[in-house]
mmCIF file of all heavy atoms in Angstrom:
data_model
loop_
_atom_site.group_PDB
_atom_site.id
_atom_site.type_symbol
_atom_site.label_atom_id
_atom_site.label_comp_id
_atom_site.label_asym_id
_atom_site.label_seq_id
_atom_site.Cartn_x
_atom_site.Cartn_y
_atom_site.Cartn_z
ATOM 1 N N VAL A 191 -82.003 -120.581 4.454
ATOM 2 C CA VAL A 191 -80.940 -120.055 5.296
ATOM 3 C C VAL A 191 -80.191 -121.216 5.962
ATOM 4 O O VAL A 191 -80.780 -122.198 6.383
ATOM 5 C CB VAL A 191 -81.484 -119.062 6.346
ATOM 6 C CG1 VAL A 191 -82.261 -119.797 7.426
ATOM 7 C CG2 VAL A 191 -80.379 -118.239 6.963
ATOM 8 N N HIS A 192 -78.886 -121.113 5.987
ATOM 9 C CA HIS A 192 -78.079 -122.129 6.646
ATOM 10 C C HIS A 192 -77.767 -121.654 8.063
ATOM 11 O O HIS A 192 -77.289 -120.556 8.248
ATOM 12 C CB HIS A 192 -76.778 -122.368 5.881
ATOM 13 C CG HIS A 192 -75.788 -123.216 6.622
ATOM 14 N ND1 HIS A 192 -75.631 -124.556 6.368
ATOM 15 C CD2 HIS A 192 -74.937 -122.914 7.636
ATOM 16 C CE1 HIS A 192 -74.717 -125.035 7.190
ATOM 17 N NE2 HIS A 192 -74.267 -124.073 7.973
ATOM 18 N N GLY A 193 -78.059 -122.475 9.051
ATOM 19 C CA GLY A 193 -77.781 -122.064 10.422
ATOM 20 C C GLY A 193 -77.722 -123.277 11.328
ATOM 21 O O GLY A 193 -77.567 -124.410 10.855
ATOM 22 N N GLN A 194 -77.862 -123.060 12.633
ATOM 23 C CA GLN A 194 -77.788 -124.181 13.577
ATOM 24 C C GLN A 194 -78.713 -123.970 14.766
ATOM 25 O O GLN A 194 -79.122 -122.836 15.068
ATOM 26 C CB GLN A 194 -76.361 -124.393 14.040
ATOM 27 C CG GLN A 194 -75.638 -123.115 14.418
ATOM 28 C CD GLN A 194 -74.175 -123.376 14.733
ATOM 29 O OE1 GLN A 194 -73.821 -123.559 15.875
ATOM 30 N NE2 GLN A 194 -73.335 -123.406 13.724
ATOM 31 N N PHE A 195 -79.089 -125.075 15.417
ATOM 32 C CA PHE A 195 -79.862 -124.997 16.651
ATOM 33 C C PHE A 195 -79.597 -126.245 17.490
ATOM 34 O O PHE A 195 -79.079 -127.237 16.973
ATOM 35 C CB PHE A 195 -81.356 -124.805 16.385
ATOM 36 C CG PHE A 195 -82.055 -126.011 15.800
ATOM 37 C CD1 PHE A 195 -82.680 -126.954 16.631
ATOM 38 C CD2 PHE A 195 -82.087 -126.208 14.432
ATOM 39 C CE1 PHE A 195 -83.315 -128.046 16.092
ATOM 40 C CE2 PHE A 195 -82.726 -127.321 13.885
ATOM 41 C CZ PHE A 195 -83.340 -128.230 14.716
ATOM 42 N N VAL A 196 -79.980 -126.163 18.756
ATOM 43 C CA VAL A 196 -79.772 -127.310 19.647
ATOM 44 C C VAL A 196 -80.991 -128.229 19.536
ATOM 45 O O VAL A 196 -82.123 -127.811 19.749
ATOM 46 C CB VAL A 196 -79.601 -126.834 21.113
ATOM 47 C CG1 VAL A 196 -79.354 -128.024 22.027
ATOM 48 C CG2 VAL A 196 -78.461 -125.830 21.193
ATOM 49 N N ALA A 197 -80.748 -129.454 19.140
ATOM 50 C CA ALA A 197 -81.845 -130.387 18.867
ATOM 51 C C ALA A 197 -82.434 -130.977 20.135
ATOM 52 O O ALA A 197 -81.830 -130.933 21.207
ATOM 53 C CB ALA A 197 -81.339 -131.504 17.959
ATOM 54 N N LYS A 198 -83.644 -131.526 19.965
ATOM 55 C CA LYS A 198 -84.280 -132.324 21.026
ATOM 56 C C LYS A 198 -84.540 -133.719 20.469
ATOM 57 O O LYS A 198 -84.423 -133.920 19.252
ATOM 58 C CB LYS A 198 -85.633 -131.707 21.408
ATOM 59 C CG LYS A 198 -85.540 -130.389 22.130
ATOM 60 C CD LYS A 198 -86.960 -129.914 22.466
ATOM 61 C CE LYS A 198 -86.931 -128.448 22.861
ATOM 62 N NZ LYS A 198 -88.234 -127.814 22.630
ATOM 63 N N ASP A 199 -84.933 -134.634 21.330
ATOM 64 C CA ASP A 199 -85.285 -135.973 20.841
ATOM 65 C C ASP A 199 -86.534 -135.908 19.972
ATOM 66 O O ASP A 199 -87.432 -135.095 20.226
ATOM 67 C CB ASP A 199 -85.564 -136.909 22.047
ATOM 68 C CG ASP A 199 -84.277 -137.285 22.758
ATOM 69 O OD1 ASP A 199 -83.217 -137.304 22.096
ATOM 70 O OD2 ASP A 199 -84.340 -137.539 23.974
ATOM 71 N N ASN A 200 -86.601 -136.799 18.983
ATOM 72 C CA ASN A 200 -87.851 -136.926 18.226
ATOM 73 C C ASN A 200 -88.886 -137.612 19.100
ATOM 74 O O ASN A 200 -88.554 -138.397 19.990
ATOM 75 C CB ASN A 200 -87.608 -137.757 16.961
ATOM 76 C CG ASN A 200 -86.736 -136.991 15.977
ATOM 77 O OD1 ASN A 200 -86.651 -135.774 16.019
ATOM 78 N ND2 ASN A 200 -86.090 -137.723 15.078
ATOM 79 N N LYS A 201 -90.154 -137.318 18.834
ATOM 80 C CA LYS A 201 -91.219 -137.838 19.685
ATOM 81 C C LYS A 201 -92.191 -138.687 18.859
ATOM 82 O O LYS A 201 -92.604 -138.273 17.771
ATOM 83 C CB LYS A 201 -92.012 -136.660 20.277
ATOM 84 C CG LYS A 201 -91.959 -136.597 21.794
ATOM 85 C CD LYS A 201 -93.034 -135.689 22.361
ATOM 86 C CE LYS A 201 -92.666 -134.223 22.265
ATOM 87 N NZ LYS A 201 -93.640 -133.296 22.798
ATOM 88 N N ARG A 202 -92.547 -139.837 19.340
ATOM 89 C CA ARG A 202 -93.611 -140.621 18.698
ATOM 90 C C ARG A 202 -94.942 -139.991 19.054
ATOM 91 O O ARG A 202 -95.133 -139.540 20.173
ATOM 92 C CB ARG A 202 -93.607 -142.063 19.203
ATOM 93 C CG ARG A 202 -92.470 -142.916 18.709
ATOM 94 C CD ARG A 202 -92.655 -144.345 19.192
ATOM 95 N NE ARG A 202 -93.791 -144.982 18.537
ATOM 96 C CZ ARG A 202 -93.718 -145.562 17.353
ATOM 97 N NH1 ARG A 202 -92.564 -145.572 16.693
ATOM 98 N NH2 ARG A 202 -94.777 -146.115 16.798
#
Side-chain angles (χ1 to χ4, degrees):
Chain A
V191 72
H192 169 99
Q194 45 186 266
F195 70 93
V196 182
K198 291 181 194 155
D199 287 332
N200 291 338
K201 242 196 280 181
R202 287 185 69 84

